């Protein structure tokens, strides 16, 4: 591993939690150069919702490459884009009654968030962005300004004004009407002095922030407040989207229709970089090429994304399966962890579950212990107090109960 330590920047991060050299992966297992197999409950932080190297997506890539398919075309029209747009409309937008336009941004989550907040400012002519405690939206300056994590922000080097941070659902008060009244007061009551925001930006399930879920009633209240103030509602579905919560979008079932939706991570289905920003047609007021970028629309990713949509989102089988597995894992963890040395809470939705420990050192130790036992699970939350359980949505039943068992055994070992 010296080559990494000598040559790669000190900024490297995940490799410190999972210090081995990975070589190959299939489904829910990653293999290192020593031939050790690791059960993956991390899924590239939500980028590998359909597991590693889905055979249909790999085959489509090989065929495309072998046929000299266009790989780079900026935002020129390509056949792969034509097919992706058609598939996204028929499998995702139309069945959900959405008529959003699709903006291809640079291929990271951060890129599609930047496009969203820039457009919100252009549409409303306002500067301020309302965002929430625990929120994580990316590392470029605009996205970082609305991210809550102070450790990530300390290297910003500049102040970005106009960020209004609000308490996320359940942070100060549990009573939803009282929370909504407080949020409304912050903008409507004389004397608070907050600028009216261009947009409210939020995650329906906070990933990096510690697996906190917003209730339907709270989401509806925030959506209504945004409407009342003529602000836009931006849902960051970068981590919780693409089926992670059990439905394609995490806000489904809440009754809200966001003005802008950001998705990335598992969109390509295969871990290839790809991001889009979905816009209500009425706010698609961009001038041609006003928001640019060399890598908007990754043609190879569009090929695999289309396969993922057709394979997993043409019917409700995957959704039902995720909800079933979620219930199975939640119950197994809640029962099996009883009696360990730290109080805990299992929370989350779909296969975006977290185990929050009262002893804030426990989750980090547990993640390290699991790695020693050949399982990958990361931590999240402001003090890294939560063990995140994000297996592939396609994980076999046997593997999910095996993972649950390993977590319970490791927690018991640490409790001795
Ligand atoms: N938003 C959310 C909710 C995320 O989880 C992430 C990545 N963890 C981002 C934005 C940023 O995405 P990227 O790292 O691809 O820029």
């Amino acid at each position: 591993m010296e080559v990494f330590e000598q040559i790669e920047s000190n900024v490297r991060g995940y490799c410190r939690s999972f210090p081995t050299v990975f070589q190959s992966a299939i489904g829910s297992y990653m293999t290192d150069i020593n031939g050790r197999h690791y059960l993956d409950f991390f899924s590239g932080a939500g980028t590998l919702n359909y597991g590693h190297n889905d055979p249909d997506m790999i085959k489509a890539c090989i065929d495309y490459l072998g046929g000299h398919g266009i790989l780079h075309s900026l935002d020129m029209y390509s056949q792969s884009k034509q097919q992706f747009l058609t598939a996204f409309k028929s499998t995702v937008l139309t069945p959900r009654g959405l008529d959003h336009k699709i903006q291809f941004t640079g291929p990271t989550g951060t890129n599609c968030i930047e496009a969203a907040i820039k457009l919100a400012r252009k549409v409303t002519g306002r500067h301020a962005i309302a965002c929430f405690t625990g929120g994580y939206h990316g590392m470029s300056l605009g996205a970082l300004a609305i991210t809550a994590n102070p450790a990530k922000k300390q290297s910003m080097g500049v102040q970005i004004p106009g960020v209004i941070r609000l308490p996320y659902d359940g942070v100060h008060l549990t009573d939803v009407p009282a929370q909504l009244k407080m949020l409304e007061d912050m903008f409507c009551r004389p004397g608070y002095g907050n600028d009216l925001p261009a947009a409210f930006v939020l995650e329906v399930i906070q990933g990096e922030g510690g697996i906190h879920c917003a209730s339907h009633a709270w989401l509806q209240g925030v959506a209504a407040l945004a409407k009342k103030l003529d602000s836009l509602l931006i849902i960051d579905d970068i981590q919780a989207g693409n089926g992670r919560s059990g439905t394609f979008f995490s806000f489904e079932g809440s009754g809200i229709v966001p003005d802008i939706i950001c998705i990335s991570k598992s969109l390509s289905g295969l871990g290839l970089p790809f991001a889009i920003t979905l816009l209500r047609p009425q706010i698609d007021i961009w001038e041609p090429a006003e928001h640019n970028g060399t890598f908007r629309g990754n043609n190879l990713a569009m090929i695999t994304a289309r396969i993922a949509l057709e394979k997993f989102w043409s019917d409700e089988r995957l959704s039902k399966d995720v909800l079933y597995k979620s219930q199975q894992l939640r119950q197994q963890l809640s029962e099996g962890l009883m009696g360990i040395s730290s109080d805990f809470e299992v929370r989350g939705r779909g296969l975006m579950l977290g185990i929050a420990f009262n002893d804030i050192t426990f989750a980090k130790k547990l993640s390290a212990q699991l790695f020693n036992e050949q399982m990958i699970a990361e931590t999240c939350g402001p003090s890294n107090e939560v063990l995140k359980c994000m297996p592939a949505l396609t994980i076999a039943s046997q593997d999910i109960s095996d993972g649950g068992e390993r977590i319970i055994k490791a927690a018991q070992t640490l409790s001795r």
Side-chain angles (χ1 to χ4, degrees):
M1 276 188 277
E2 290 98 76
V3 71
F4 304 105
E5 280 147 25
Q6 285 169 9
I7 302 175
E8 193 178 351
S9 160
N10 202 42
V11 78
R12 61 195 190 280
Y14 286 115
C15 53
R16 298 174 195 271
S17 306
F18 310 116
T20 189
V21 181
F22 292 104
Q23 187 176 33
S24 61
I26 184 91
S28 290
Y29 287 90
M30 300 168 76
T31 305
D32 71 8
I33 53 172
N34 302 313
R36 285 161 69 92
H37 302 298
Y38 295 79
L39 178 59
D40 187 358
F41 261 44
F42 171 49
S43 301
T47 310
L48 297 158
N49 282 1
Y50 315 110
H52 293 264
N53 290 318
D54 176 276
D56 296 319
M57 296 181 214
I58 292 286
K59 181 175 180 310
C61 278
I62 293 170
D63 291 348
Y64 191 72
L65 294 172
H68 305 295
I70 190 97
L71 281 176
H72 183 259
S73 50
L74 283 151
D75 68 351
M76 285 185 268
Y77 295 151
S78 66
Q79 190 183 35
S80 52
K81 190 195 278 190
Q82 199 171 38
Q83 292 170 345
F84 167 75
L85 286 170
T86 309
F88 195 83
K89 185 167 162 42
S90 67
T91 54
V92 176
L93 295 179
T94 306
R96 290 162 184 81
L98 300 174
D99 63 353
H100 290 55
K101 301 281 273 303
I102 300 176
Q103 177 182 358
F104 295 93
T105 65
T108 68
T110 301
N111 284 131
C112 62
I113 287 286
E114 288 291 346
I117 55 184
K118 195 165 147 186
L119 182 65
R121 286 177 169 140
K122 183 176 158 83
V123 167
T124 59
R126 298 177 184 167
H127 172 71
I129 302 287
C131 54
F132 290 87
T133 53
Y136 184 96
H137 303 289
M139 288 291 108
S140 56
L141 286 182
L144 190 51
I146 57 169
T147 291
N149 189 323
K152 298 274 191 265
K153 286 165 82 152
Q154 68 191 11
S155 55
M156 271 178 83
V158 289
Q159 291 274 357
I160 307 257
V163 173
I164 304 172
R165 180 123 359 238
L166 305 171
Y168 192 73
D169 190 6
V171 166
H172 284 303
L173 303 164
T174 46
D175 178 57
V176 172
Q179 292 189 64
L180 295 172
K181 170 82 173 68
M182 190 190 73
L183 293 183
E184 184 170 340
D185 281 354
M186 288 184 70
F187 296 102
C188 300
R189 222 165 122 168
Y192 272 68
N194 282 316
D195 290 339
L196 289 180
F200 288 76
V201 184
L202 65 99
E203 297 157 84
V204 173
I205 307 171
Q206 294 188 325
E208 306 309 315
I211 315 292
H212 292 286
C213 301
S215 65
H216 288 348
W218 186 84
L219 286 173
Q220 284 164 14
V222 174
L225 179 60
K227 198 164 184 187
K228 177 173 173 176
L229 302 178
D230 286 326
S231 309
L232 301 187
L233 178 64
I234 303 175
I235 295 296
D236 177 343
D237 228 5
I238 290 163
Q239 188 161 159
N242 293 294
R244 190 41 66 193
S245 70
T247 47
F248 187 83
F249 295 115
S250 60
F251 57 82
E252 282 174 52
S254 70
I256 64 163
V257 181
D259 298 296
I260 304 183
I261 308 159
C262 295
I263 56 174
S264 173
K265 287 202 190 261
S266 279
L267 180 61
S268 78
L270 193 64
L272 298 172
F274 191 28
I276 54 178
T277 304
L278 305 174
L279 321 169
R280 269 198 310 110
Q282 298 81 344
I283 59 165
D284 185 18
I285 59 161
W286 288 118
E287 294 297 329
E290 187 180 358
H291 186 79
N292 236 327
T294 305
F295 293 109
R296 278 166 303 145
N298 171 346
N299 282 285
L300 195 59
M302 291 184 201
I303 293 288
T304 55
R306 177 177 55 81
I307 305 284
L309 293 174
E310 287 169 355
K311 182 168 174 177
F312 296 111
W313 296 101
S314 306
D315 57 38
E316 296 197 338
R317 263 181 302 171
L318 181 70
S319 261
K320 287 193 176 138
D321 209 32
V322 170
L323 295 177
Y324 174 76
K325 286 174 188 160
S326 169
Q327 190 53 35
Q328 178 192 339
L329 183 59
R330 185 188 280 271
Q331 189 175 342
Q332 184 187 11
L333 292 171
S334 304
E335 289 170 6
L337 289 171
M338 229 83 102
I340 60 159
S341 60
S342 171
D343 281 344
F344 70 93
E345 177 200 15
V346 181
R347 62 189 184 213
R349 270 181 31 211
L351 284 175
M352 191 159 177
L353 297 180
I355 315 167
F357 295 99
N358 268 24
D359 169 358
I360 59 167
T361 64
F362 199 83
K364 263 274 172 239
K365 287 188 267 181
L366 185 53
S367 171
Q369 174 76 13
L370 288 167
F371 179 71
N372 288 338
E373 292 168 18
Q374 295 173 224
M375 178 165 167
I376 313 269
E378 72 162 332
T379 59
C380 61
S383 310
N384 276 312
E385 72 282 17
V386 180
L387 187 83
K388 222 192 214 184
C389 299
M390 301 221 312
L393 309 183
T394 51
I395 189 171
S397 270
Q398 180 55 42
D399 287 334
I400 207 161
S401 56
D402 176 30
E405 204 44 47
R406 290 197 211 191
I407 294 171
I408 293 163
K409 286 226 173 84
Q412 286 168 345
T413 305
L414 289 175
S415 298
R416 274 193 209 118

